[in-house]
């Protein structure tokens, strides 16, 4: 997903992806902000350059041009970052088990198809456990970890036994297994969970200090 991002069309809906609507809302919102930033800095550069050529302070024009160049270079990196999405467990407190924050990209990429598959086969859908984010001002809905273990186990069984194949099915099963192991550890300690749909490839200590739970 990360390589050849713009060329492969990861930033627009396609037959290869089944991201939820919240993914595309974030992408569209960032595109609008970046387009506005380019328009403002581009206009400022053009006006400053014209004024500098007439009046002589070329250093000011060079600084405006450097700002526009910086914004232009930053655009593809910002688009690439927002295109990276993962479905990850969010816990009331830290527990043992595999570290899952860096996984879940196949689950995010095929989430709509996976939920449709679960509904057809009569097993709980993954989205039932998400995706409210307290950092966005949304009310977190905690679930018993045992409910998540049971739901994921049922989904894994359905995926393995069904002749119907989903894109990225092997990666989906691997990521479901990792989340299940983490939730099994949470179940033993009585820790509740929910699922988050994260976009972006970074996390900071400051962010975690503001959060109710942990990844």
């Amino acid at each position: 997903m990360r390589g050849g991002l713009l060329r492969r069309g990861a930033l627009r809906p396609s037959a290869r992806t089944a991201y939820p609507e919240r993914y595309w809302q974030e992408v569209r919102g960032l595109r609008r902000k970046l387009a506005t930033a380019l328009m403002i800095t581009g206009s400022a550069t053009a006006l400053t350059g014209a004024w500098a050529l007439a009046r002589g302070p070329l250093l000011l024009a060079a600084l405006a041009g450097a700002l526009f160049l910086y914004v232009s270079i930053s655009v593809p990196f910002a688009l690439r970052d927002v295109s990276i999405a993962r479905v990850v467990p969010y816990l009331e407190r830290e527990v043992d088990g595999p570290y899952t924050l860096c996984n879940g990209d196949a689950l995010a990429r095929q989430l709509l198809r996976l939920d449709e598959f679960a509904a057809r086969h009569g097993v709980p859908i993954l989205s039932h456990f998400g995706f409210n984010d307290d950092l966005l001002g949304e009310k977190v809905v905690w679930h018993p970890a045992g409910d998540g273990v049971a739901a994921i186990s049922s989904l894994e069984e359905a995926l393995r036994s069904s002749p119907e194949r989903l894109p990225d099915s092997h990666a989906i099963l691997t990521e479901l297994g990792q989340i299940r192991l983490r939730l099994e550890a949470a179940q033993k300690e009585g820790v509740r969970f929910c699922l988050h749909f994260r976009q972006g490839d970074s996390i900071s200590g400051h962010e975690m200090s503001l959060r109710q739970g942990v990844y």
Side-chain angles (χ1 to χ4, degrees):
M1 176 178 173
R2 299 186 186 184
L5 176 65
L6 300 177
R7 185 185 70 254
R8 291 168 55 185
L11 292 180
R12 62 178 182 270
S14 73
R16 302 180 61 177
T17 63
Y19 290 110
E21 177 57 24
R22 66 187 297 134
Y23 175 88
W24 300 113
Q25 287 176 350
E26 186 71 19
V27 169
R28 288 192 294 267
L30 179 63
R31 279 176 166 168
R32 286 193 293 268
K33 292 176 183 177
L34 292 174
T36 300
L38 282 172
M39 182 179 65
I40 292 173
T41 55
S43 299
T45 298
L47 290 172
T48 304
W51 181 78
L53 288 174
R55 298 298 183 103
L58 297 180
L59 178 60
L60 186 59
L63 290 175
L67 177 61
F68 177 71
L69 181 61
Y70 171 78
V71 173
S72 300
I73 292 174
S74 300
V75 164
F77 290 98
L79 288 172
R80 174 191 176 278
D81 189 60
V82 79
S83 76
I84 298 169
R86 297 183 175 94
V87 172
V88 296
Y90 187 57
L91 305 167
E92 287 183 302
R93 59 180 174 83
E94 188 60 61
V95 300
D96 293 331
Y99 184 69
T100 49
L101 182 58
C102 295
N103 303 312
D105 53 320
L107 290 174
R109 190 165 56 248
Q110 302 299 339
L111 185 61
L112 294 182
R113 290 192 181 104
L114 187 61
D115 282 351
E116 291 171 357
F117 174 91
R120 285 196 301 271
H121 289 77
V123 299
I125 65 173
L126 204 62
S127 296
H128 169 73
F129 299 101
F131 295 102
N132 285 3
D133 191 331
D134 49 305
L135 207 61
L136 300 178
E138 301 168 342
K139 180 178 173 56
V140 177
V141 180
W142 298 110
H143 302 270
D147 291 356
V149 172
I152 289 176
S153 297
S154 298
L155 187 52
E156 288 176 304
E157 183 179 354
L159 283 167
R160 290 193 180 102
S161 61
S162 174
E164 178 185 357
R165 284 296 175 188
L166 295 179
D168 302 313
S169 58
H170 179 73
I172 288 172
L173 281 168
T174 298
E175 293 172 0
L176 285 174
Q178 292 169 334
I179 293 176
R180 176 174 44 77
L181 290 174
R182 190 86 185 278
L183 295 185
E184 286 173 349
Q187 183 180 13
K188 292 177 182 177
E189 299 185 29
V191 176
R192 296 181 299 174
F193 88 105
C194 63
L195 294 177
H196 273 184
F197 189 95
R198 283 191 62 89
Q199 282 178 254
D201 202 26
S202 62
I203 190 168
S204 67
H206 177 65
E207 175 187 335
M208 294 312 302
S209 71
L210 299 175
R211 288 194 170 279
Q212 298 177 29
V214 299
Y215 290 115

